[in-house]
Amino acid sequence: MAIVHYPTASLKPHKDEILQSGHLWIFSGALQQPPRWIEAGGLVDVKSAMGQFVARGYYNPNTDIAIRILTRDSEEAIDNAFLRSRIRRAAQLREVFDPRETTAYRLINSEGDGLPGLIVDRFADMLVMQIHTMGIERLRLQVVEALMQELGVRGILLRNDSQSRRREGLEVEEPVLVAGAVPEQVTILENGVSFLIDPWQGQKTGFFLDQRDKRAALRKYARDKRVLNCFSYTGGFSVYAAMMSDETSVTSVDVSESAMELAYQIFTLNGVDPERHEFLIADAFEYLEDAQQRGELFDVVVLDPPAFAKTQSAQSQALKAYRRLNLLGMQVLRPGGILLSCSCTGVVGLDDLLGILSQDAQRLNRSVQLLETYTHGVDHPINLAMPETSYLKAVFCRVN
Ligand code: SAH
């Protein structure tokens, strides 16, 4: 076997210990000696203060996280075989999905699948990929090649249009085809429900796959009920609810006109008459305030807002927004109604969310029963050594 030599970086004493736990980040402050003669994103071997090999990863001198680890095996070069084995391992986990029921899932979840900086979502026989770090950007061609070799999909679309790329010193790009062909609209199945996805223009990769299990869980509460879905996007929660019975009625609210148009089509696609439901292009906060003024009441309210904060410094602002939102949600919920409240930012934890719900209920002189707690689905595995990479929490409550 060819022996590959990578530039080395050495750690300060004891800074290798966290890596033994399986953590994949090395902050710049932990480096005794940064690697020399290396371009941003280049591969690097990490040595302990004693000079022993600890791990191999990629280096970015321009970010707080100086090195992200790819392997702790000194024999493992970062090559085609490495990428293919990581992809294979990730694909094996997703075999839990029965293709007759579910054809869309996150295939590679960055750190959670041992490939920091890489997100790949599978939509039927197409992939949509996002690159979040300089290191993966350098491996772009190899990653595409390995994905094609392992999965033989019809096409791969690269969505490098996330603003978060700037933090890594990366350009924000237009969506670009990197393999085969990807149409403007893809049809997928999720728990037997059909969805149309716009991989080119849709938000993020086109669909929020991390809500699959919560959408399924919502069904049992929705039969014959009046349901309000705020921040509905293309109607994920809405269509699951609407399919429960002809007596179920669903109001979907989102600011995105294109998402709402797609939601309408998705109802039809699933044999639900969209004319019996409401699709509103509106600010959810404004809608809720108006609904409350009118004295409208729902049996079930879903609140799945975008991340109100992405950084720790914005946390107090975010907490305020969640508090206001959940208060409004409870005000349009009839006594004994079900509230599904989600938060997709790592900055606000489960305890924060539960605290907010409890305080909001107190203000309204109502009591809350916690029924179910969720995080992401199985296709968003979290490396247990890195709980900080978990972001989604969702709780079902009954508000009396
Ligand atoms: N629940 C959705 C995903 C929601 S993502 C699903 O299951 O697919 C968040 C959504 O909030 C996006 O569709 C975005 O367009 C919308 N949004 C952002 N700010 C909003 C606001 N102030 N009012 C209403 N919708 C908003």
Side-chain angles (χ1 to χ4, degrees), residues 229-238 251-254 259-260 263 280 304:
N229 182 11
C230 290
F231 311 93
S232 62
Y233 189 50
T234 56
F237 287 104
S238 306
T251 299
S252 305
V253 181
D254 199 285
M260 205 50 79
L280 305 175
D304 182 22

Side-chain angles (χ1 to χ4, degrees), residues 190 195 203-204 206-212 215 229-238 253-257 259 280-287 302-308 342 344:
E190 184 191 83
F195 284 94
Q203 295 183 31
K204 304 278 170 77
F207 197 58
F208 293 91
L209 293 162
D210 53 8
Q211 292 290 27
R212 181 188 313 101
R215 293 188 191 115
N229 182 11
C230 290
F231 311 93
S232 62
Y233 189 50
T234 56
F237 287 104
S238 306
V253 181
D254 199 285
V255 279
S256 164
E257 195 176 332
L280 305 175
I281 301 160
D283 176 276
F285 286 92
E286 283 175 19
Y287 171 81
V302 177
L303 303 173
D304 182 22
F308 288 139
C342 311
C344 63

